[in-house]
Amino acid sequence: MNDLAGARHADARGGPRWRTRALVLAVLLAVPWGVTGLVWKREHDRASVQERIALAHGLALHAAELRDTAPAMARNLGLAAVEIHSDEQTRAGLIDTLVGMHSDVLSPDASGEVVLSDDGRIALAGGDELGVWDLTTWLEPKIVDKADRIAVLKDRREGLSMTALSGDGRTVLTGGGVGDTVVWDLTDPAKPIRVAALVGGKNAEDANSVRAMALSRDGRTAAIADLGGDLIMWNLTDRSHPARLSVAKLRSSSVVRDLRLSADGGIAVISYDGLFNNGAVAIWDLSDPSRPVKSADLGLPAGKYARATVMDADGHVILVGNAHRAEIWNLDDRSHPVRTAALDVPFTDLYGMAVTSDGKTALLAGPSDSAILWNLSDPYKPARLAALKGYTREINSVALGADGEVALAAGPGGTYLWDLRGLAEVVADPERAACRDNPGTEISKADWARYTGGADWSDYKGEDLSDALAVCAIRRGSL
């Protein structure tokens, strides 16, 4: 009896301790399994994320390849890429595709340059023969039959062809390496009138050898730079009787490359090619056009020269471009220009630049099949907006409407037009813009297999049992 009672007493005392030890042991054994499970889940989630990213980037690449031949499929694949994994690469690809879907071929004929009126309605494009275009029908999506050019300026001369168009679209200058600069009245764009000619500089051997030209917005002030390095200012208030205002010497041992005027004609930006690549960009004060005064030189790096320049309407923002780079300059103080930022561009050279009147949007192009739009709202932090793709060959010249709603690009492949009126919404939210305009966008099962390499689309369809993937309803998952 005593032995049995003692055993029971021992069990009573040892039971809880035994249970505690067993519980601790179970916990100790479970912890490694739990940690292992957490590690496995973390690695599984990480692998899933990487698979989604790889799939999204692959779809974005396919979309880029299809922009020219199958734009609708490019949009669908680009949208799917952003829905699956939204990052800088997939968003930029979708933006470029959506912008490209609002482009058209204005003319298939080779063009050396293109210019545009401020309102984006009148365009001039061509080479030895300069066509006049009214873009009204081109900017109305409901009009299927777009208007052809409405006139031709046939008085082009042999040599380097150049064109300047006033902001109001009523006055045109045409000229070249040899011959007078011709003044045209474009009040009726369908019936251009040759009204006068501007004779060259004061040096007989350089007379009529025009290197660059520009017009003020109202067409009343013209600036001509000739081969001899003279800047000739003209008053075109009476276009039939132009009055020469002044002739100023620009820069010795240099050849003018580009000439730009502010809207009021009070500021000129002139770039030069110099000996041994010792180029320069100069700011000229033309507030008194009868007495032009150079106010400053931009401090370009040694051995660099400007391939292209452009200025906003008020003369406060200047872009200077050369190989792989474009610099933004602030000209609030004309005597002390300040470099605010640089744009790294994917071109070996810059052939054309344009900027909106407010200086907040710029278009840059070089020897490639696309031009790049930049947001310059913060001149210290420029941001890429979109690439205007779809052009067939290198771009020689670009133009922007004053408000940035129309863009043109010209070169050996012809002249292209982009309608940019929805650009702000597309850049802000490309997914929303694509789904708003195309709510029923789908990718068939066959196309999904083709462009994803056979990826299981059940991860992205959710409960949808149809044979097509509704792109705007792709299940994002937990990333």
mmCIF file with all atom_site columns, all heavy atoms in Angstrom, residues 463-474:
data_model
loop_
_atom_site.group_PDB
_atom_site.id
_atom_site.type_symbol
_atom_site.label_atom_id
_atom_site.label_alt_id
_atom_site.label_comp_id
_atom_site.label_asym_id
_atom_site.label_entity_id
_atom_site.label_seq_id
_atom_site.pdbx_PDB_ins_code
_atom_site.Cartn_x
_atom_site.Cartn_y
_atom_site.Cartn_z
_atom_site.occupancy
_atom_site.B_iso_or_equiv
_atom_site.pdbx_formal_charge
_atom_site.auth_seq_id
_atom_site.auth_comp_id
_atom_site.auth_asym_id
_atom_site.auth_atom_id
_atom_site.pdbx_PDB_model_num
ATOM 1  N N   . GLU A 1 463 ? -10.721 34.043 -61.557 1.00 0.00 ? 463 GLU A N   1
ATOM 2  C CA  . GLU A 1 463 ? -11.836 33.116 -61.760 1.00 0.00 ? 463 GLU A CA  1
ATOM 3  C C   . GLU A 1 463 ? -12.385 33.144 -63.186 1.00 0.00 ? 463 GLU A C   1
ATOM 4  O O   . GLU A 1 463 ? -13.368 32.475 -63.499 1.00 0.00 ? 463 GLU A O   1
ATOM 5  C CB  . GLU A 1 463 ? -12.971 33.452 -60.774 1.00 0.00 ? 463 GLU A CB  1
ATOM 6  C CG  . GLU A 1 463 ? -12.559 33.365 -59.317 1.00 0.00 ? 463 GLU A CG  1
ATOM 7  C CD  . GLU A 1 463 ? -12.077 31.972 -58.946 1.00 0.00 ? 463 GLU A CD  1
ATOM 8  O OE1 . GLU A 1 463 ? -12.657 30.991 -59.462 1.00 0.00 ? 463 GLU A OE1 1
ATOM 9  O OE2 . GLU A 1 463 ? -11.136 31.875 -58.147 1.00 0.00 ? 463 GLU A OE2 1
ATOM 10 N N   . ASP A 1 464 ? -11.783 33.954 -64.043 1.00 0.00 ? 464 ASP A N   1
ATOM 11 C CA  . ASP A 1 464 ? -12.245 34.079 -65.426 1.00 0.00 ? 464 ASP A CA  1
ATOM 12 C C   . ASP A 1 464 ? -11.994 32.763 -66.161 1.00 0.00 ? 464 ASP A C   1
ATOM 13 O O   . ASP A 1 464 ? -10.861 32.289 -66.244 1.00 0.00 ? 464 ASP A O   1
ATOM 14 C CB  . ASP A 1 464 ? -11.500 35.222 -66.103 1.00 0.00 ? 464 ASP A CB  1
ATOM 15 C CG  . ASP A 1 464 ? -11.999 35.473 -67.523 1.00 0.00 ? 464 ASP A CG  1
ATOM 16 O OD1 . ASP A 1 464 ? -12.934 34.781 -67.944 1.00 0.00 ? 464 ASP A OD1 1
ATOM 17 O OD2 . ASP A 1 464 ? -11.434 36.357 -68.192 1.00 0.00 ? 464 ASP A OD2 1
ATOM 18 N N   . LEU A 1 465 ? -13.050 32.180 -66.726 1.00 0.00 ? 465 LEU A N   1
ATOM 19 C CA  . LEU A 1 465 ? -12.941 30.882 -67.402 1.00 0.00 ? 465 LEU A CA  1
ATOM 20 C C   . LEU A 1 465 ? -12.968 30.996 -68.919 1.00 0.00 ? 465 LEU A C   1
ATOM 21 O O   . LEU A 1 465 ? -13.017 29.990 -69.614 1.00 0.00 ? 465 LEU A O   1
ATOM 22 C CB  . LEU A 1 465 ? -14.097 29.973 -66.937 1.00 0.00 ? 465 LEU A CB  1
ATOM 23 C CG  . LEU A 1 465 ? -14.163 29.690 -65.433 1.00 0.00 ? 465 LEU A CG  1
ATOM 24 C CD1 . LEU A 1 465 ? -15.371 28.804 -65.118 1.00 0.00 ? 465 LEU A CD1 1
ATOM 25 C CD2 . LEU A 1 465 ? -12.869 29.055 -64.937 1.00 0.00 ? 465 LEU A CD2 1
ATOM 26 N N   . SER A 1 466 ? -12.946 32.209 -69.450 1.00 0.00 ? 466 SER A N   1
ATOM 27 C CA  . SER A 1 466 ? -12.998 32.390 -70.898 1.00 0.00 ? 466 SER A CA  1
ATOM 28 C C   . SER A 1 466 ? -11.661 32.021 -71.531 1.00 0.00 ? 466 SER A C   1
ATOM 29 O O   . SER A 1 466 ? -10.666 31.754 -70.845 1.00 0.00 ? 466 SER A O   1
ATOM 30 C CB  . SER A 1 466 ? -13.339 33.843 -71.231 1.00 0.00 ? 466 SER A CB  1
ATOM 31 O OG  . SER A 1 466 ? -12.284 34.698 -70.850 1.00 0.00 ? 466 SER A OG  1
ATOM 32 N N   . ASP A 1 467 ? -11.649 32.003 -72.880 1.00 0.00 ? 467 ASP A N   1
ATOM 33 C CA  . ASP A 1 467 ? -10.429 31.664 -73.614 1.00 0.00 ? 467 ASP A CA  1
ATOM 34 C C   . ASP A 1 467 ? -9.617  32.892 -73.998 1.00 0.00 ? 467 ASP A C   1
ATOM 35 O O   . ASP A 1 467 ? -8.762  32.834 -74.879 1.00 0.00 ? 467 ASP A O   1
ATOM 36 C CB  . ASP A 1 467 ? -10.787 30.879 -74.885 1.00 0.00 ? 467 ASP A CB  1
ATOM 37 C CG  . ASP A 1 467 ? -11.265 29.478 -74.553 1.00 0.00 ? 467 ASP A CG  1
ATOM 38 O OD1 . ASP A 1 467 ? -10.849 28.947 -73.516 1.00 0.00 ? 467 ASP A OD1 1
ATOM 39 O OD2 . ASP A 1 467 ? -12.071 28.935 -75.335 1.00 0.00 ? 467 ASP A OD2 1
ATOM 40 N N   . ALA A 1 468 ? -9.888  34.020 -73.359 1.00 0.00 ? 468 ALA A N   1
ATOM 41 C CA  . ALA A 1 468 ? -9.131  35.251 -73.612 1.00 0.00 ? 468 ALA A CA  1
ATOM 42 C C   . ALA A 1 468 ? -8.837  35.930 -72.284 1.00 0.00 ? 468 ALA A C   1
ATOM 43 O O   . ALA A 1 468 ? -9.609  35.826 -71.325 1.00 0.00 ? 468 ALA A O   1
ATOM 44 C CB  . ALA A 1 468 ? -9.906  36.188 -74.532 1.00 0.00 ? 468 ALA A CB  1
ATOM 45 N N   . LEU A 1 469 ? -7.700  36.612 -72.230 1.00 0.00 ? 469 LEU A N   1
ATOM 46 C CA  . LEU A 1 469 ? -7.288  37.293 -71.014 1.00 0.00 ? 469 LEU A CA  1
ATOM 47 C C   . LEU A 1 469 ? -7.689  38.760 -71.114 1.00 0.00 ? 469 LEU A C   1
ATOM 48 O O   . LEU A 1 469 ? -7.230  39.489 -72.006 1.00 0.00 ? 469 LEU A O   1
ATOM 49 C CB  . LEU A 1 469 ? -5.772  37.174 -70.843 1.00 0.00 ? 469 LEU A CB  1
ATOM 50 C CG  . LEU A 1 469 ? -5.157  37.902 -69.639 1.00 0.00 ? 469 LEU A CG  1
ATOM 51 C CD1 . LEU A 1 469 ? -5.653  37.293 -68.341 1.00 0.00 ? 469 LEU A CD1 1
ATOM 52 C CD2 . LEU A 1 469 ? -3.641  37.829 -69.696 1.00 0.00 ? 469 LEU A CD2 1
ATOM 53 N N   . ALA A 1 470 ? -8.564  39.210 -70.239 1.00 0.00 ? 470 ALA A N   1
ATOM 54 C CA  . ALA A 1 470 ? -8.960  40.616 -70.196 1.00 0.00 ? 470 ALA A CA  1
ATOM 55 C C   . ALA A 1 470 ? -7.820  41.409 -69.563 1.00 0.00 ? 470 ALA A C   1
ATOM 56 O O   . ALA A 1 470 ? -7.602  41.333 -68.354 1.00 0.00 ? 470 ALA A O   1
ATOM 57 C CB  . ALA A 1 470 ? -10.243 40.769 -69.390 1.00 0.00 ? 470 ALA A CB  1
ATOM 58 N N   . VAL A 1 471 ? -7.097  42.138 -70.382 1.00 0.00 ? 471 VAL A N   1
ATOM 59 C CA  . VAL A 1 471 ? -5.854  42.760 -69.920 1.00 0.00 ? 471 VAL A CA  1
ATOM 60 C C   . VAL A 1 471 ? -6.105  43.758 -68.799 1.00 0.00 ? 471 VAL A C   1
ATOM 61 O O   . VAL A 1 471 ? -5.333  43.841 -67.851 1.00 0.00 ? 471 VAL A O   1
ATOM 62 C CB  . VAL A 1 471 ? -5.134  43.454 -71.105 1.00 0.00 ? 471 VAL A CB  1
ATOM 63 C CG1 . VAL A 1 471 ? -3.813  44.049 -70.624 1.00 0.00 ? 471 VAL A CG1 1
ATOM 64 C CG2 . VAL A 1 471 ? -4.874  42.461 -72.216 1.00 0.00 ? 471 VAL A CG2 1
ATOM 65 N N   . CYS A 1 472 ? -7.188  44.522 -68.899 1.00 0.00 ? 472 CYS A N   1
ATOM 66 C CA  . CYS A 1 472 ? -7.453  45.536 -67.876 1.00 0.00 ? 472 CYS A CA  1
ATOM 67 C C   . CYS A 1 472 ? -7.920  44.927 -66.549 1.00 0.00 ? 472 CYS A C   1
ATOM 68 O O   . CYS A 1 472 ? -8.093  45.648 -65.580 1.00 0.00 ? 472 CYS A O   1
ATOM 69 C CB  . CYS A 1 472 ? -8.494  46.527 -68.374 1.00 0.00 ? 472 CYS A CB  1
ATOM 70 S SG  . CYS A 1 472 ? -7.901  47.532 -69.763 1.00 0.00 ? 472 CYS A SG  1
ATOM 71 N N   . ALA A 1 473 ? -8.112  43.606 -66.529 1.00 0.00 ? 473 ALA A N   1
ATOM 72 C CA  . ALA A 1 473 ? -8.555  42.934 -65.300 1.00 0.00 ? 473 ALA A CA  1
ATOM 73 C C   . ALA A 1 473 ? -7.537  41.894 -64.853 1.00 0.00 ? 473 ALA A C   1
ATOM 74 O O   . ALA A 1 473 ? -7.894  40.962 -64.116 1.00 0.00 ? 473 ALA A O   1
ATOM 75 C CB  . ALA A 1 473 ? -9.924  42.294 -65.520 1.00 0.00 ? 473 ALA A CB  1
ATOM 76 N N   . ILE A 1 474 ? -6.301  42.028 -65.277 1.00 0.00 ? 474 ILE A N   1
ATOM 77 C CA  . ILE A 1 474 ? -5.267  41.063 -64.871 1.00 0.00 ? 474 ILE A CA  1
ATOM 78 C C   . ILE A 1 474 ? -5.108  41.098 -63.354 1.00 0.00 ? 474 ILE A C   1
ATOM 79 O O   . ILE A 1 474 ? -5.085  42.153 -62.742 1.00 0.00 ? 474 ILE A O   1
ATOM 80 C CB  . ILE A 1 474 ? -3.923  41.399 -65.551 1.00 0.00 ? 474 ILE A CB  1
ATOM 81 C CG1 . ILE A 1 474 ? -3.964  40.945 -67.013 1.00 0.00 ? 474 ILE A CG1 1
ATOM 82 C CG2 . ILE A 1 474 ? -2.751  40.721 -64.840 1.00 0.00 ? 474 ILE A CG2 1
ATOM 83 C CD1 . ILE A 1 474 ? -2.698  41.246 -67.775 1.00 0.00 ? 474 ILE A CD1 1
#
